Amino acid sequence: MNGGKATLGRTAGLYLGAAVLRLALFTLFPGLPDLLTGRVEISTPVTSFKRLQEGLFLYNHNVSPYDGGVYHQAPLLLPLFALLPSFAALPVFTYLLYIAVDLLSAHALFQIAESGEPGASALYTSPRRDKRWSGFVIAALFLFSPFTIATCIGRPTSVFTACAILHAVVKAISGAPVGAMVALSFAAYLSMYPLLLLPPLLLLSYDRQLPGRATKSLAQFAATNIGVVASVLGMLFSMSFLITGSWEFLPSTYGVQLTLSDLAPNVGLWWYFFVEMFDSFRSFFLAVFWLHLSAYVGALTVRIRRQPLVVLTLLLGIFAIFKPYPSISDMSLFLATVSLYRHVFPLMRYTFLVASIIMYTTFLGPAFYHLWIYAGSGNANFFYAITLVWGLGLSLLVCDLTFAVLRDEWEVERPEMVGKEIRQI
Amino acid sequence: MRQLFSFSLLSFFSLCFAFLATAADYHEQLVLRPLPLSALLASFNFRSNTTLSAFEAHNFRFFPRSLGQILQHAGTRELHLRFSLGRWDAESWGARPWNGAREGGTGVELWAWLEADTDEAADHQWLTLTNALSGLFCASLNFIDGTRTTRPVMSFQPEGDHPNATDTNTHLLYGVLPHEVVCTENLTPFLKLLPCKGKAGIASLLDGHKLFDASWQSMAIDVRPVCPPGGEGECVLEIEQTIDMVLDIERSKRPRGNPIPRPLPGHELHCDTSKPYHSGDTCFPADSTANQDWSLSQVFGKTIKGTCPLTDPNVPPVCLQVPDARSVYISNGALEKKNQDGVSRCFEIEPETTDFELLLPSPEDLPADNLQAGQEVENIVKPETPLLYAERSFTGHGQERGGVQTILRNPSPDKEVEFIYMESLPWFMRIYLHTMQARIEGTSPSDHDPLIQEVYYRPAVDRARGTQLEVRMRVPAASTVFLTYDFEKSILRYTEYPPDANRGFDVAAAVITILSPNKNDTRSATYNLRTTSLLCSLPTPDFSMPYNVIIFTSTAIALAFGGMFNIIVRRFVAADEGPEVSVGSLKQKLIVPLRRIFARVKPGPR
């Protein structure tokens, strides 16, 4: 599996295989897409495909989709899906769109892996960098991960965000900071939380500037690129305004994420906490949760300054646990980026435990949800407990990866400590 | 059909009285109609009016002052208030009384035309109105807030004449409380609005024990301005109070000699002998013929205490709709008048009569010479077939999502029915309009002309506004249409659940307004009906553990944050490097400051 030389033909075959598998699942099991769309683990209020269809229906019938409590997704998705042939009549075009987005994400991962950035960034070269997986393996791991396949069949709009984030990274690595910023703006426009990825992405593109067009001062570089993000976002917002005719999409898309007014169950930690929260403390804890989510950005960016891609990966993991409406599509993106760090896997301490927790929750989550909602023999605590375990397992993975990366850095300073017992003071 | 004619004839007469005989400003009438399966429909109608000038000068005579002042304060032009219970069994009882115009869905329903310059002003007046009516009628009308208020655009049309009204300053607001339990405390204020306060006249029959024991009952108050046709004469403000109830005769008669419900002995059962399985030990209850003998004092528990002295003497206070062939016994001081149509008769009560009793003997007791040879006489008036049957129910299972299915059946063999179907749903039922479809039974949706002609949809906003859905559609002759759509149930904050959270949430009845087949006549609805209300069960959290959830989630977050913080902040050293951490060093760290403290507290001898 390790280090295979990826030829163009093999990669094309891989993509073809993944596409055929998805198309087969779409067409051979006609009930499967709707079944997965209805799963709370895949569809959240801000990404659900069924809600997108409702928004599209209202949009096509000249009712503002934002003057209601169902549609909380970005306005530009509406004309995009309105351009496609009607889903009810020709669903295959929607299927093809989602398959294409998955393949684009996989190709971005392929390019990131082939660039060598995970093992050797501009400021730091890992002594273990040779022990890595090729882009082919990374792309295959992403494309054939059950989480990715389930996400693709369930068709949440979070796949667009994931694709934009990965392409922002690819552009940053290949020395195109403007492209990276534009891609990140799209991701932020679609789901808001990717805006928190801006600091590490800025550093990554600063480190990877092409020698000919390099800006020396980091402050100047940052100011320029923040300006790019702001102007692209401004453009996207004004296009949305033109499409919907009012600014009411802002509270309905981003406001819902900020205030968590829709408490639909999901794999995250927020929903049950705010179901049970006392009314007078609701806004306080909303602020605390958002502060907690954004607190990691600065700390990780500073501490792991030499490897910005690591920071991006860790932040994706943290978002997959702690953002307001997480789903397994965030998880599949995080796991795919974790696989870029094959070289630090030997330094990780809890891989078996994390793998077991992920398997355990993957199987018990749907079962407990069924017990609560359908069988009535369990209550909400069953599913809540599983989301807690899921969150703990993933946070263990995030911490473990941080540990492994930092130890890898430390062993450059202390080469004699490789394989020795260490502790932290 | 004959029967409908008689009913509309009665209404027409009473309308004429209202229009022309303004000198007699109050009248009341009770119409009794036996229904199949030993049921009895009693329709009480009280109508009084006052001229608009007298009303505006606070000059109240028959019009109740308490209600009049509320209406003036809230700028209400027309008001409709309904308190209803039970279900009208259209399959056996046929068309609804008053063509459904005087009934409401289960619970309390209120709609009014308010005069206000802006929508906000109308909302403010609506709040005033609901709060004031809440106090007047001892009902929770004050809970009709923004989430339960809609502004129907197609379903309701004003009944009164509004010559000065424009579209911009008249606002229709509609609120519904399906969870409200209608009971005695709502009847008492209702009766107090009457000129005779329920002490005399037909209102003396009304008693909470009987009214709220009925299979179906609807109390209605309608206030509307009525202008004489042609424009001559002064407009009047008319208040009409209506109570319709369907009594189970057998149940109503029970408290007399046998207060505890017991199964009847076998030989007293009335069986339908035409059933193939009828035998000595199986019995299918026979309809219509059984239990058709009753008297007023048996079913209502008392007799009518004379007439209300204020009522118009030209309107007979009591009417009974049974075929003329049946004989009726009445007490002294009353006069029976048979109407032309052959299926109804009215009774005039002389003013000095103190008790009026009416007894309808069982048809089996009829003298044999009343039966004409070879012809079977119908014992009761055959109920008229309604224009449409509607049944609404939930589909699907589980507490996550579901569907609503309304079955609409047009019994007419040759006439298409066009109507407006209106739902006002709570915000926590998130409906998916793109899943709405109508199909004729036995076909797929694409096989025929579109049944849905026009849709007005105002989606719900969480915690602020309910869903309003109005669909203009048609049902072809002699066919059944299924109207379905999907919805998702949202989980609420735990403080938003009622104390009986697992009982479920009431969903208001759908209002169906059948349009007149005459296309030009957009104003009048020919027939109204309402489906039953529904009970929607939402997913519930565990109400017992808000503290535990807060603690568990906080712990999980603290573990993640702490672990991360630990790794980021602390330095790596080899296991044998750095300061020693052992029990000994810890002890040393503790003992030194402690000794220092002790030394300060206990100064030794110097």
Side-chain angles (χ1 to χ4, degrees), chain B residues 445-473:
Chain B
S446 55
D447 281 1
H448 40 74
D449 303 340
L451 297 167
I452 296 176
Q453 290 163 328
E454 196 180 345
V455 177
Y456 178 85
Y457 176 58
R458 193 149 191 251
V461 175
D462 289 3
R463 298 178 180 84
R465 188 174 82 197
T467 302
Q468 179 189 350
L469 175 67
E470 285 180 82
V471 184
R472 189 159 65 85
M473 58 185 292

PDB file of all heavy atoms in Angstrom, chain B residues 445-473:
ATOM      1  N   PRO B 445     -50.275  10.796  -9.906  1.00  0.00           N
ATOM      2  CA  PRO B 445     -50.535  12.243  -9.956  1.00  0.00           C
ATOM      3  C   PRO B 445     -50.475  12.862 -11.351  1.00  0.00           C
ATOM      4  O   PRO B 445     -51.085  13.880 -11.591  1.00  0.00           O
ATOM      5  CB  PRO B 445     -49.439  12.815  -9.059  1.00  0.00           C
ATOM      6  CG  PRO B 445     -49.004  11.696  -8.213  1.00  0.00           C
ATOM      7  CD  PRO B 445     -49.211  10.450  -8.991  1.00  0.00           C
ATOM      8  N   SER B 446     -49.739  12.252 -12.251  1.00  0.00           N
ATOM      9  CA  SER B 446     -49.562  12.920 -13.546  1.00  0.00           C
ATOM     10  C   SER B 446     -50.644  12.557 -14.554  1.00  0.00           C
ATOM     11  O   SER B 446     -50.625  13.059 -15.671  1.00  0.00           O
ATOM     12  CB  SER B 446     -48.187  12.557 -14.103  1.00  0.00           C
ATOM     13  OG  SER B 446     -48.077  11.163 -14.156  1.00  0.00           O
ATOM     14  N   ASP B 447     -51.585  11.699 -14.144  1.00  0.00           N
ATOM     15  CA  ASP B 447     -52.533  11.181 -15.120  1.00  0.00           C
ATOM     16  C   ASP B 447     -53.624  12.157 -15.540  1.00  0.00           C
ATOM     17  O   ASP B 447     -54.300  11.951 -16.523  1.00  0.00           O
ATOM     18  CB  ASP B 447     -53.231   9.922 -14.559  1.00  0.00           C
ATOM     19  CG  ASP B 447     -52.336   8.718 -14.678  1.00  0.00           C
ATOM     20  OD1 ASP B 447     -51.219   8.907 -15.171  1.00  0.00           O
ATOM     21  OD2 ASP B 447     -52.759   7.623 -14.290  1.00  0.00           O
ATOM     22  N   HIS B 448     -53.821  13.201 -14.751  1.00  0.00           N
ATOM     23  CA  HIS B 448     -55.011  14.012 -15.006  1.00  0.00           C
ATOM     24  C   HIS B 448     -54.676  15.491 -14.917  1.00  0.00           C
ATOM     25  O   HIS B 448     -53.541  15.868 -14.629  1.00  0.00           O
ATOM     26  CB  HIS B 448     -56.100  13.651 -14.003  1.00  0.00           C
ATOM     27  CG  HIS B 448     -55.557  13.430 -12.627  1.00  0.00           C
ATOM     28  ND1 HIS B 448     -55.149  14.460 -11.839  1.00  0.00           N
ATOM     29  CD2 HIS B 448     -55.314  12.299 -11.927  1.00  0.00           C
ATOM     30  CE1 HIS B 448     -54.690  13.979 -10.711  1.00  0.00           C
ATOM     31  NE2 HIS B 448     -54.766  12.661 -10.733  1.00  0.00           N
ATOM     32  N   ASP B 449     -55.661  16.310 -15.150  1.00  0.00           N
ATOM     33  CA  ASP B 449     -55.492  17.761 -15.030  1.00  0.00           C
ATOM     34  C   ASP B 449     -55.082  18.091 -13.607  1.00  0.00           C
ATOM     35  O   ASP B 449     -55.437  17.382 -12.682  1.00  0.00           O
ATOM     36  CB  ASP B 449     -56.838  18.466 -15.297  1.00  0.00           C
ATOM     37  CG  ASP B 449     -57.390  18.112 -16.637  1.00  0.00           C
ATOM     38  OD1 ASP B 449     -56.597  17.660 -17.465  1.00  0.00           O
ATOM     39  OD2 ASP B 449     -58.604  18.273 -16.847  1.00  0.00           O
ATOM     40  N   PRO B 450     -54.373  19.165 -13.444  1.00  0.00           N
ATOM     41  CA  PRO B 450     -53.978  19.510 -12.076  1.00  0.00           C
ATOM     42  C   PRO B 450     -55.198  19.749 -11.201  1.00  0.00           C
ATOM     43  O   PRO B 450     -56.104  20.496 -11.562  1.00  0.00           O
ATOM     44  CB  PRO B 450     -53.151  20.781 -12.264  1.00  0.00           C
ATOM     45  CG  PRO B 450     -53.475  21.286 -13.604  1.00  0.00           C
ATOM     46  CD  PRO B 450     -53.854  20.103 -14.421  1.00  0.00           C
ATOM     47  N   LEU B 451     -55.201  19.069 -10.038  1.00  0.00           N
ATOM     48  CA  LEU B 451     -56.302  19.255  -9.104  1.00  0.00           C
ATOM     49  C   LEU B 451     -56.083  20.508  -8.273  1.00  0.00           C
ATOM     50  O   LEU B 451     -57.011  21.161  -7.856  1.00  0.00           O
ATOM     51  CB  LEU B 451     -56.397  18.049  -8.171  1.00  0.00           C
ATOM     52  CG  LEU B 451     -56.699  16.725  -8.860  1.00  0.00           C
ATOM     53  CD1 LEU B 451     -56.457  15.580  -7.915  1.00  0.00           C
ATOM     54  CD2 LEU B 451     -58.126  16.716  -9.331  1.00  0.00           C
ATOM     55  N   ILE B 452     -54.780  20.809  -8.040  1.00  0.00           N
ATOM     56  CA  ILE B 452     -54.448  21.991  -7.257  1.00  0.00           C
ATOM     57  C   ILE B 452     -54.369  23.169  -8.200  1.00  0.00           C
ATOM     58  O   ILE B 452     -53.615  23.158  -9.169  1.00  0.00           O
ATOM     59  CB  ILE B 452     -53.108  21.785  -6.534  1.00  0.00           C
ATOM     60  CG1 ILE B 452     -53.247  20.645  -5.542  1.00  0.00           C
ATOM     61  CG2 ILE B 452     -52.672  23.054  -5.847  1.00  0.00           C
ATOM     62  CD1 ILE B 452     -51.966  20.294  -4.844  1.00  0.00           C
ATOM     63  N   GLN B 453     -55.198  24.170  -7.932  1.00  0.00           N
ATOM     64  CA  GLN B 453     -55.241  25.283  -8.873  1.00  0.00           C
ATOM     65  C   GLN B 453     -54.438  26.471  -8.398  1.00  0.00           C
ATOM     66  O   GLN B 453     -53.878  27.202  -9.196  1.00  0.00           O
ATOM     67  CB  GLN B 453     -56.695  25.685  -9.100  1.00  0.00           C
ATOM     68  CG  GLN B 453     -57.421  24.621  -9.893  1.00  0.00           C
ATOM     69  CD  GLN B 453     -58.910  24.758  -9.797  1.00  0.00           C
ATOM     70  OE1 GLN B 453     -59.424  25.197  -8.795  1.00  0.00           O
ATOM     71  NE2 GLN B 453     -59.587  24.379 -10.846  1.00  0.00           N
ATOM     72  N   GLU B 454     -54.390  26.672  -7.103  1.00  0.00           N
ATOM     73  CA  GLU B 454     -53.706  27.851  -6.596  1.00  0.00           C
ATOM     74  C   GLU B 454     -53.248  27.531  -5.182  1.00  0.00           C
ATOM     75  O   GLU B 454     -53.966  26.880  -4.433  1.00  0.00           O
ATOM     76  CB  GLU B 454     -54.682  29.026  -6.591  1.00  0.00           C
ATOM     77  CG  GLU B 454     -54.028  30.373  -6.459  1.00  0.00           C
ATOM     78  CD  GLU B 454     -55.067  31.486  -6.462  1.00  0.00           C
ATOM     79  OE1 GLU B 454     -56.221  31.215  -6.839  1.00  0.00           O
ATOM     80  OE2 GLU B 454     -54.717  32.592  -6.061  1.00  0.00           O
ATOM     81  N   VAL B 455     -52.056  27.976  -4.842  1.00  0.00           N
ATOM     82  CA  VAL B 455     -51.524  27.728  -3.502  1.00  0.00           C
ATOM     83  C   VAL B 455     -51.065  29.049  -2.921  1.00  0.00           C
ATOM     84  O   VAL B 455     -50.374  29.819  -3.591  1.00  0.00           O
ATOM     85  CB  VAL B 455     -50.339  26.743  -3.537  1.00  0.00           C
ATOM     86  CG1 VAL B 455     -49.758  26.571  -2.151  1.00  0.00           C
ATOM     87  CG2 VAL B 455     -50.768  25.409  -4.085  1.00  0.00           C
ATOM     88  N   TYR B 456     -51.495  29.319  -1.716  1.00  0.00           N
ATOM     89  CA  TYR B 456     -50.917  30.441  -0.980  1.00  0.00           C
ATOM     90  C   TYR B 456     -50.191  29.840   0.206  1.00  0.00           C
ATOM     91  O   TYR B 456     -50.785  29.101   0.992  1.00  0.00           O
ATOM     92  CB  TYR B 456     -52.003  31.403  -0.501  1.00  0.00           C
ATOM     93  CG  TYR B 456     -51.430  32.538   0.308  1.00  0.00           C
ATOM     94  CD1 TYR B 456     -50.932  33.679  -0.302  1.00  0.00           C
ATOM     95  CD2 TYR B 456     -51.328  32.444   1.687  1.00  0.00           C
ATOM     96  CE1 TYR B 456     -50.371  34.691   0.428  1.00  0.00           C
ATOM     97  CE2 TYR B 456     -50.759  33.453   2.435  1.00  0.00           C
ATOM     98  CZ  TYR B 456     -50.287  34.582   1.800  1.00  0.00           C
ATOM     99  OH  TYR B 456     -49.711  35.574   2.540  1.00  0.00           O
ATOM    100  N   TYR B 457     -48.910  30.142   0.327  1.00  0.00           N
ATOM    101  CA  TYR B 457     -48.105  29.493   1.361  1.00  0.00           C
ATOM    102  C   TYR B 457     -47.277  30.539   2.065  1.00  0.00           C
ATOM    103  O   TYR B 457     -46.579  31.326   1.432  1.00  0.00           O
ATOM    104  CB  TYR B 457     -47.195  28.449   0.712  1.00  0.00           C
ATOM    105  CG  TYR B 457     -46.248  27.760   1.650  1.00  0.00           C
ATOM    106  CD1 TYR B 457     -46.720  27.058   2.743  1.00  0.00           C
ATOM    107  CD2 TYR B 457     -44.874  27.798   1.437  1.00  0.00           C
ATOM    108  CE1 TYR B 457     -45.850  26.421   3.606  1.00  0.00           C
ATOM    109  CE2 TYR B 457     -43.999  27.161   2.281  1.00  0.00           C
ATOM    110  CZ  TYR B 457     -44.500  26.467   3.368  1.00  0.00           C
ATOM    111  OH  TYR B 457     -43.626  25.835   4.214  1.00  0.00           O
ATOM    112  N   ARG B 458     -47.371  30.562   3.379  1.00  0.00           N
ATOM    113  CA  ARG B 458     -46.498  31.428   4.163  1.00  0.00           C
ATOM    114  C   ARG B 458     -45.784  30.508   5.136  1.00  0.00           C
ATOM    115  O   ARG B 458     -46.400  29.958   6.048  1.00  0.00           O
ATOM    116  CB  ARG B 458     -47.338  32.458   4.913  1.00  0.00           C
ATOM    117  CG  ARG B 458     -46.506  33.572   5.476  1.00  0.00           C
ATOM    118  CD  ARG B 458     -47.314  34.871   5.516  1.00  0.00           C
ATOM    119  NE  ARG B 458     -46.407  35.968   5.819  1.00  0.00           N
ATOM    120  CZ  ARG B 458     -46.409  36.613   6.981  1.00  0.00           C
ATOM    121  NH1 ARG B 458     -47.257  36.273   7.910  1.00  0.00           N
ATOM    122  NH2 ARG B 458     -45.547  37.575   7.198  1.00  0.00           N
ATOM    123  N   PRO B 459     -44.464  30.287   4.904  1.00  0.00           N
ATOM    124  CA  PRO B 459     -43.778  29.298   5.733  1.00  0.00           C
ATOM    125  C   PRO B 459     -43.623  29.779   7.169  1.00  0.00           C
ATOM    126  O   PRO B 459     -43.658  30.982   7.446  1.00  0.00           O
ATOM    127  CB  PRO B 459     -42.426  29.133   5.056  1.00  0.00           C
ATOM    128  CG  PRO B 459     -42.266  30.279   4.148  1.00  0.00           C
ATOM    129  CD  PRO B 459     -43.612  30.848   3.860  1.00  0.00           C
ATOM    130  N   ALA B 460     -43.438  28.814   8.052  1.00  0.00           N
ATOM    131  CA  ALA B 460     -43.285  29.128   9.463  1.00  0.00           C
ATOM    132  C   ALA B 460     -41.908  29.704   9.715  1.00  0.00           C
ATOM    133  O   ALA B 460     -40.956  29.400   9.015  1.00  0.00           O
ATOM    134  CB  ALA B 460     -43.472  27.873  10.290  1.00  0.00           C
ATOM    135  N   VAL B 461     -41.802  30.543  10.723  1.00  0.00           N
ATOM    136  CA  VAL B 461     -40.511  31.008  11.212  1.00  0.00           C
ATOM    137  C   VAL B 461     -40.407  30.507  12.650  1.00  0.00           C
ATOM    138  O   VAL B 461     -41.357  30.647  13.413  1.00  0.00           O
ATOM    139  CB  VAL B 461     -40.424  32.537  11.160  1.00  0.00           C
ATOM    140  CG1 VAL B 461     -39.131  33.012  11.787  1.00  0.00           C
ATOM    141  CG2 VAL B 461     -40.519  33.023   9.742  1.00  0.00           C
ATOM    142  N   ASP B 462     -39.270  29.931  12.979  1.00  0.00           N
ATOM    143  CA  ASP B 462     -39.123  29.324  14.295  1.00  0.00           C
ATOM    144  C   ASP B 462     -39.499  30.297  15.398  1.00  0.00           C
ATOM    145  O   ASP B 462     -38.974  31.402  15.468  1.00  0.00           O
ATOM    146  CB  ASP B 462     -37.678  28.863  14.498  1.00  0.00           C
ATOM    147  CG  ASP B 462     -37.361  27.662  13.652  1.00  0.00           C
ATOM    148  OD1 ASP B 462     -38.246  27.244  12.887  1.00  0.00           O
ATOM    149  OD2 ASP B 462     -36.237  27.138  13.750  1.00  0.00           O
ATOM    150  N   ARG B 463     -40.362  29.873  16.243  1.00  0.00           N
ATOM    151  CA  ARG B 463     -40.768  30.606  17.455  1.00  0.00           C
ATOM    152  C   ARG B 463     -41.434  31.937  17.168  1.00  0.00           C
ATOM    153  O   ARG B 463     -41.635  32.734  18.066  1.00  0.00           O
ATOM    154  CB  ARG B 463     -39.581  30.837  18.390  1.00  0.00           C
ATOM    155  CG  ARG B 463     -39.010  29.537  18.874  1.00  0.00           C
ATOM    156  CD  ARG B 463     -37.813  29.665  19.744  1.00  0.00           C
ATOM    157  NE  ARG B 463     -37.395  28.318  20.114  1.00  0.00           N
ATOM    158  CZ  ARG B 463     -36.638  27.566  19.354  1.00  0.00           C
ATOM    159  NH1 ARG B 463     -36.189  28.025  18.220  1.00  0.00           N
ATOM    160  NH2 ARG B 463     -36.340  26.339  19.728  1.00  0.00           N
ATOM    161  N   ALA B 464     -41.732  32.253  15.918  1.00  0.00           N
ATOM    162  CA  ALA B 464     -42.317  33.555  15.638  1.00  0.00           C
ATOM    163  C   ALA B 464     -43.626  33.458  14.877  1.00  0.00           C
ATOM    164  O   ALA B 464     -44.501  34.286  15.062  1.00  0.00           O
ATOM    165  CB  ALA B 464     -41.337  34.418  14.846  1.00  0.00           C
ATOM    166  N   ARG B 465     -43.792  32.442  14.061  1.00  0.00           N
ATOM    167  CA  ARG B 465     -44.926  32.436  13.155  1.00  0.00           C
ATOM    168  C   ARG B 465     -45.232  31.001  12.756  1.00  0.00           C
ATOM    169  O   ARG B 465     -44.312  30.211  12.587  1.00  0.00           O
ATOM    170  CB  ARG B 465     -44.523  33.243  11.923  1.00  0.00           C
ATOM    171  CG  ARG B 465     -45.622  33.522  10.955  1.00  0.00           C
ATOM    172  CD  ARG B 465     -45.114  34.442   9.882  1.00  0.00           C
ATOM    173  NE  ARG B 465     -44.398  33.693   8.857  1.00  0.00           N
ATOM    174  CZ  ARG B 465     -43.579  34.267   7.981  1.00  0.00           C
ATOM    175  NH1 ARG B 465     -43.368  35.550   8.015  1.00  0.00           N
ATOM    176  NH2 ARG B 465     -42.979  33.543   7.075  1.00  0.00           N
ATOM    177  N   GLY B 466     -46.500  30.691  12.628  1.00  0.00           N
ATOM    178  CA  GLY B 466     -46.878  29.353  12.187  1.00  0.00           C
ATOM    179  C   GLY B 466     -46.982  29.284  10.680  1.00  0.00           C
ATOM    180  O   GLY B 466     -46.906  30.290   9.993  1.00  0.00           O
ATOM    181  N   THR B 467     -47.158  28.060  10.176  1.00  0.00           N
ATOM    182  CA  THR B 467     -47.323  27.879   8.741  1.00  0.00           C
ATOM    183  C   THR B 467     -48.750  28.211   8.345  1.00  0.00           C
ATOM    184  O   THR B 467     -49.685  27.848   9.048  1.00  0.00           O
ATOM    185  CB  THR B 467     -47.044  26.425   8.364  1.00  0.00           C
ATOM    186  OG1 THR B 467     -45.739  26.098   8.786  1.00  0.00           O
ATOM    187  CG2 THR B 467     -47.160  26.208   6.885  1.00  0.00           C
ATOM    188  N   GLN B 468     -48.894  28.894   7.246  1.00  0.00           N
ATOM    189  CA  GLN B 468     -50.220  29.133   6.705  1.00  0.00           C
ATOM    190  C   GLN B 468     -50.249  28.581   5.292  1.00  0.00           C
ATOM    191  O   GLN B 468     -49.443  28.955   4.456  1.00  0.00           O
ATOM    192  CB  GLN B 468     -50.519  30.629   6.701  1.00  0.00           C
ATOM    193  CG  GLN B 468     -51.869  30.958   6.123  1.00  0.00           C
ATOM    194  CD  GLN B 468     -52.036  32.445   5.943  1.00  0.00           C
ATOM    195  OE1 GLN B 468     -51.227  33.220   6.411  1.00  0.00           O
ATOM    196  NE2 GLN B 468     -53.074  32.831   5.249  1.00  0.00           N
ATOM    197  N   LEU B 469     -51.163  27.675   5.059  1.00  0.00           N
ATOM    198  CA  LEU B 469     -51.234  27.024   3.755  1.00  0.00           C
ATOM    199  C   LEU B 469     -52.673  27.088   3.277  1.00  0.00           C
ATOM    200  O   LEU B 469     -53.582  26.608   3.954  1.00  0.00           O
ATOM    201  CB  LEU B 469     -50.774  25.571   3.876  1.00  0.00           C
ATOM    202  CG  LEU B 469     -50.890  24.705   2.642  1.00  0.00           C
ATOM    203  CD1 LEU B 469     -49.944  25.183   1.567  1.00  0.00           C
ATOM    204  CD2 LEU B 469     -50.596  23.266   2.971  1.00  0.00           C
ATOM    205  N   GLU B 470     -52.869  27.693   2.139  1.00  0.00           N
ATOM    206  CA  GLU B 470     -54.212  27.731   1.568  1.00  0.00           C
ATOM    207  C   GLU B 470     -54.120  27.188   0.149  1.00  0.00           C
ATOM    208  O   GLU B 470     -53.286  27.637  -0.639  1.00  0.00           O
ATOM    209  CB  GLU B 470     -54.767  29.156   1.556  1.00  0.00           C
ATOM    210  CG  GLU B 470     -55.205  29.617   2.928  1.00  0.00           C
ATOM    211  CD  GLU B 470     -55.745  31.033   2.910  1.00  0.00           C
ATOM    212  OE1 GLU B 470     -56.911  31.218   2.566  1.00  0.00           O
ATOM    213  OE2 GLU B 470     -54.983  31.934   3.225  1.00  0.00           O
ATOM    214  N   VAL B 471     -54.930  26.222  -0.138  1.00  0.00           N
ATOM    215  CA  VAL B 471     -54.884  25.555  -1.434  1.00  0.00           C
ATOM    216  C   VAL B 471     -56.263  25.640  -2.066  1.00  0.00           C
ATOM    217  O   VAL B 471     -57.248  25.210  -1.467  1.00  0.00           O
ATOM    218  CB  VAL B 471     -54.478  24.072  -1.271  1.00  0.00           C
ATOM    219  CG1 VAL B 471     -54.347  23.420  -2.627  1.00  0.00           C
ATOM    220  CG2 VAL B 471     -53.197  23.936  -0.498  1.00  0.00           C
ATOM    221  N   ARG B 472     -56.325  26.203  -3.242  1.00  0.00           N
ATOM    222  CA  ARG B 472     -57.592  26.154  -3.981  1.00  0.00           C
ATOM    223  C   ARG B 472     -57.522  24.948  -4.897  1.00  0.00           C
ATOM    224  O   ARG B 472     -56.607  24.835  -5.707  1.00  0.00           O
ATOM    225  CB  ARG B 472     -57.803  27.431  -4.805  1.00  0.00           C
ATOM    226  CG  ARG B 472     -59.191  27.532  -5.411  1.00  0.00           C
ATOM    227  CD  ARG B 472     -59.519  28.970  -5.759  1.00  0.00           C
ATOM    228  NE  ARG B 472     -58.632  29.469  -6.813  1.00  0.00           N
ATOM    229  CZ  ARG B 472     -58.864  29.283  -8.116  1.00  0.00           C
ATOM    230  NH1 ARG B 472     -59.933  28.631  -8.516  1.00  0.00           N
ATOM    231  NH2 ARG B 472     -58.028  29.764  -9.007  1.00  0.00           N
ATOM    232  N   MET B 473     -58.429  24.030  -4.718  1.00  0.00           N
ATOM    233  CA  MET B 473     -58.357  22.804  -5.511  1.00  0.00           C
ATOM    234  C   MET B 473     -59.766  22.333  -5.835  1.00  0.00           C
ATOM    235  O   MET B 473     -60.754  22.900  -5.398  1.00  0.00           O
ATOM    236  CB  MET B 473     -57.567  21.734  -4.761  1.00  0.00           C
ATOM    237  CG  MET B 473     -58.109  21.369  -3.415  1.00  0.00           C
ATOM    238  SD  MET B 473     -57.044  20.208  -2.557  1.00  0.00           S
ATOM    239  CE  MET B 473     -57.239  18.757  -3.563  1.00  0.00           C
TER     240      MET B 473
END
